[in-house]
Short mmCIF file of all heavy atoms in Angstrom, two decimals:
data_model
loop_
_atom_site.label_atom_id
_atom_site.label_comp_id
_atom_site.label_asym_id
_atom_site.label_seq_id
_atom_site.Cartn_x
_atom_site.Cartn_y
_atom_site.Cartn_z
N THR P 1425 8.90 4.06 5.78
CA THR P 1425 10.33 3.89 6.01
C THR P 1425 10.75 2.49 5.58
O THR P 1425 10.08 1.50 5.92
CB THR P 1425 10.68 4.10 7.49
OG1 THR P 1425 10.28 5.42 7.89
CG2 THR P 1425 12.18 3.96 7.71
N ILE P 1426 11.83 2.43 4.83
CA ILE P 1426 12.44 1.15 4.49
C ILE P 1426 13.79 1.16 5.20
O ILE P 1426 14.66 1.98 4.86
CB ILE P 1426 12.61 0.96 2.97
CG1 ILE P 1426 11.28 1.27 2.25
CG2 ILE P 1426 13.07 -0.46 2.65
CD1 ILE P 1426 11.39 1.33 0.74
N SER P 1427 13.97 0.28 6.16
CA SER P 1427 15.11 0.41 7.08
C SER P 1427 16.45 0.15 6.40
O SER P 1427 17.41 0.89 6.62
CB SER P 1427 14.93 -0.54 8.26
OG SER P 1427 14.81 -1.89 7.80
N ARG P 1428 16.53 -0.90 5.60
CA ARG P 1428 17.78 -1.23 4.89
C ARG P 1428 17.38 -1.68 3.49
O ARG P 1428 16.78 -2.74 3.31
CB ARG P 1428 18.54 -2.34 5.59
CG ARG P 1428 19.16 -1.95 6.91
CD ARG P 1428 19.77 -3.17 7.61
NE ARG P 1428 18.83 -4.29 7.70
CZ ARG P 1428 17.88 -4.36 8.61
NH1 ARG P 1428 17.73 -3.40 9.51
NH2 ARG P 1428 17.05 -5.40 8.63
N LEU P 1429 17.70 -0.85 2.52
CA LEU P 1429 17.25 -1.11 1.16
C LEU P 1429 17.88 -2.36 0.57
O LEU P 1429 19.10 -2.56 0.63
CB LEU P 1429 17.55 0.09 0.27
CG LEU P 1429 16.65 1.31 0.47
CD1 LEU P 1429 17.24 2.53 -0.19
CD2 LEU P 1429 15.25 1.02 -0.06
N GLU P 1430 17.02 -3.20 0.01
CA GLU P 1430 17.45 -4.34 -0.77
C GLU P 1430 17.32 -3.99 -2.26
O GLU P 1430 16.53 -3.10 -2.62
CB GLU P 1430 16.57 -5.57 -0.45
CG GLU P 1430 16.64 -6.03 0.99
CD GLU P 1430 17.96 -6.72 1.32
OE1 GLU P 1430 18.68 -7.15 0.39
OE2 GLU P 1430 18.27 -6.84 2.52
N PRO P 1431 18.06 -4.66 -3.13
CA PRO P 1431 17.98 -4.33 -4.58
C PRO P 1431 16.56 -4.38 -5.12
O PRO P 1431 16.20 -3.57 -6.00
CB PRO P 1431 18.86 -5.41 -5.22
CG PRO P 1431 19.84 -5.76 -4.16
CD PRO P 1431 19.09 -5.68 -2.85
N GLU P 1432 15.72 -5.27 -4.59
CA GLU P 1432 14.35 -5.41 -5.11
C GLU P 1432 13.41 -4.31 -4.62
O GLU P 1432 12.25 -4.26 -5.04
CB GLU P 1432 13.78 -6.79 -4.73
CG GLU P 1432 13.66 -7.07 -3.25
CD GLU P 1432 14.88 -7.76 -2.68
OE1 GLU P 1432 15.98 -7.60 -3.24
OE2 GLU P 1432 14.72 -8.48 -1.65
N ASP P 1433 13.89 -3.43 -3.75
CA ASP P 1433 13.03 -2.37 -3.21
C ASP P 1433 12.97 -1.14 -4.12
O ASP P 1433 12.16 -0.24 -3.88
CB ASP P 1433 13.51 -1.93 -1.82
CG ASP P 1433 13.44 -3.06 -0.81
OD1 ASP P 1433 12.65 -4.01 -1.00
OD2 ASP P 1433 14.20 -3.00 0.19
N PHE P 1434 13.83 -1.10 -5.13
CA PHE P 1434 13.86 0.08 -5.99
C PHE P 1434 12.67 0.00 -6.95
O PHE P 1434 12.56 -0.91 -7.77
CB PHE P 1434 15.20 0.20 -6.69
CG PHE P 1434 16.31 0.51 -5.73
CD1 PHE P 1434 17.04 -0.50 -5.13
CD2 PHE P 1434 16.59 1.82 -5.38
CE1 PHE P 1434 18.04 -0.22 -4.19
CE2 PHE P 1434 17.58 2.12 -4.46
CZ PHE P 1434 18.31 1.10 -3.86
N ALA P 1435 11.77 0.96 -6.79
CA ALA P 1435 10.46 0.92 -7.45
C ALA P 1435 9.79 2.28 -7.23
O ALA P 1435 10.41 3.20 -6.69
CB ALA P 1435 9.60 -0.19 -6.84
N VAL P 1436 8.54 2.37 -7.64
CA VAL P 1436 7.74 3.56 -7.37
C VAL P 1436 6.77 3.24 -6.23
O VAL P 1436 6.17 2.16 -6.20
CB VAL P 1436 6.96 4.02 -8.61
CG1 VAL P 1436 6.14 5.27 -8.30
CG2 VAL P 1436 7.93 4.32 -9.76
N TYR P 1437 6.62 4.18 -5.30
CA TYR P 1437 5.76 4.00 -4.14
C TYR P 1437 4.64 5.03 -4.15
O TYR P 1437 4.89 6.22 -4.39
CB TYR P 1437 6.58 4.11 -2.86
CG TYR P 1437 7.54 2.96 -2.70
CD1 TYR P 1437 8.78 2.98 -3.33
CD2 TYR P 1437 7.19 1.83 -1.96
CE1 TYR P 1437 9.65 1.91 -3.23
CE2 TYR P 1437 8.06 0.76 -1.85
CZ TYR P 1437 9.28 0.80 -2.49
OH TYR P 1437 10.14 -0.27 -2.39
N TYR P 1438 3.43 4.56 -3.90
CA TYR P 1438 2.26 5.43 -3.86
C TYR P 1438 1.58 5.34 -2.50
O TYR P 1438 1.45 4.24 -1.94
CB TYR P 1438 1.23 5.01 -4.92
CG TYR P 1438 1.68 5.18 -6.35
CD1 TYR P 1438 2.25 4.12 -7.05
CD2 TYR P 1438 1.52 6.40 -7.01
CE1 TYR P 1438 2.67 4.27 -8.36
CE2 TYR P 1438 1.94 6.56 -8.33
CZ TYR P 1438 2.51 5.49 -9.00
OH TYR P 1438 2.91 5.65 -10.30
N CYS P 1439 1.12 6.47 -2.01
CA CYS P 1439 0.23 6.44 -0.86
C CYS P 1439 -1.21 6.59 -1.36
O CYS P 1439 -1.45 7.09 -2.48
CB CYS P 1439 0.56 7.52 0.17
SG CYS P 1439 0.51 9.23 -0.42
N GLN P 1440 -2.15 6.14 -0.56
CA GLN P 1440 -3.58 6.17 -0.92
C GLN P 1440 -4.38 6.39 0.35
O GLN P 1440 -4.09 5.78 1.38
CB GLN P 1440 -4.00 4.84 -1.53
CG GLN P 1440 -5.48 4.72 -1.86
CD GLN P 1440 -6.00 3.28 -1.79
OE1 GLN P 1440 -5.47 2.45 -1.05
NE2 GLN P 1440 -7.01 2.97 -2.59
N GLN P 1441 -5.37 7.26 0.28
CA GLN P 1441 -6.32 7.34 1.38
C GLN P 1441 -7.60 6.65 0.92
O GLN P 1441 -8.09 6.88 -0.20
CB GLN P 1441 -6.55 8.78 1.83
CG GLN P 1441 -7.30 9.68 0.87
CD GLN P 1441 -8.80 9.44 0.90
OE1 GLN P 1441 -9.37 8.93 1.85
NE2 GLN P 1441 -9.47 9.82 -0.18
N TYR P 1442 -8.15 5.80 1.77
CA TYR P 1442 -9.34 5.04 1.40
C TYR P 1442 -10.46 5.20 2.42
O TYR P 1442 -11.45 4.49 2.39
CB TYR P 1442 -8.99 3.57 1.19
CG TYR P 1442 -8.31 2.90 2.37
CD1 TYR P 1442 -9.03 2.21 3.34
CD2 TYR P 1442 -6.92 2.96 2.50
CE1 TYR P 1442 -8.39 1.59 4.41
CE2 TYR P 1442 -6.28 2.35 3.57
CZ TYR P 1442 -7.01 1.67 4.52
OH TYR P 1442 -6.38 1.08 5.58
N GLY P 1443 -10.31 6.16 3.32
CA GLY P 1443 -11.33 6.33 4.35
C GLY P 1443 -12.52 7.12 3.88
O GLY P 1443 -13.64 6.88 4.33
N SER P 1444 -12.31 8.05 2.98
CA SER P 1444 -13.42 8.87 2.49
C SER P 1444 -13.89 8.38 1.14
O SER P 1444 -14.41 9.13 0.33
CB SER P 1444 -12.99 10.33 2.38
OG SER P 1444 -12.03 10.47 1.36
N SER P 1445 -13.65 7.08 0.89
CA SER P 1445 -14.05 6.52 -0.40
C SER P 1445 -15.56 6.36 -0.45
O SER P 1445 -16.15 5.86 0.49
CB SER P 1445 -13.37 5.18 -0.60
OG SER P 1445 -13.72 4.62 -1.84
N PRO P 1446 -16.27 6.63 -1.55
CA PRO P 1446 -15.62 7.26 -2.71
C PRO P 1446 -15.48 8.76 -2.55
O PRO P 1446 -16.26 9.37 -1.84
CB PRO P 1446 -16.59 6.92 -3.84
CG PRO P 1446 -17.92 6.81 -3.16
CD PRO P 1446 -17.65 6.31 -1.78
N PRO P 1447 -14.55 9.40 -3.24
CA PRO P 1447 -13.54 8.70 -4.00
C PRO P 1447 -12.31 8.44 -3.13
O PRO P 1447 -12.02 9.21 -2.24
CB PRO P 1447 -13.18 9.69 -5.10
CG PRO P 1447 -13.34 11.02 -4.43
CD PRO P 1447 -14.45 10.87 -3.43
N CYS P 1448 -11.60 7.36 -3.40
CA CYS P 1448 -10.29 7.24 -2.78
C CYS P 1448 -9.33 8.02 -3.66
O CYS P 1448 -9.64 8.30 -4.81
CB CYS P 1448 -9.86 5.78 -2.64
SG CYS P 1448 -9.40 5.00 -4.20
N THR P 1449 -8.21 8.40 -3.12
CA THR P 1449 -7.24 9.17 -3.89
C THR P 1449 -5.84 8.62 -3.65
O THR P 1449 -5.56 8.07 -2.59
CB THR P 1449 -7.29 10.66 -3.52
OG1 THR P 1449 -7.24 10.80 -2.10
CG2 THR P 1449 -8.55 11.32 -4.05
N PHE P 1450 -5.00 8.82 -4.65
CA PHE P 1450 -3.61 8.41 -4.59
C PHE P 1450 -2.70 9.63 -4.63
O PHE P 1450 -3.06 10.65 -5.24
CB PHE P 1450 -3.25 7.53 -5.79
CG PHE P 1450 -3.92 6.18 -5.80
CD1 PHE P 1450 -5.14 6.00 -6.46
CD2 PHE P 1450 -3.35 5.08 -5.17
CE1 PHE P 1450 -5.77 4.76 -6.48
CE2 PHE P 1450 -3.96 3.84 -5.19
CZ PHE P 1450 -5.17 3.68 -5.84
N GLY P 1451 -1.54 9.50 -4.01
CA GLY P 1451 -0.50 10.48 -4.23
C GLY P 1451 0.10 10.29 -5.62
O GLY P 1451 -0.19 9.31 -6.31
#
Side-chain angles (χ1 to χ4, degrees):
Chain P
T1425 302
I1426 310 171
S1427 58
R1428 290 174 309 280
L1429 286 166
E1430 298 287 342
E1432 62 268 26
D1433 298 336
F1434 292 91
V1436 180
Y1437 291 84
Y1438 294 95
C1439 59
Q1440 176 209 28
Q1441 70 78 22
Y1442 55 94
S1444 68
S1445 181
C1448 72
T1449 49
F1450 292 92

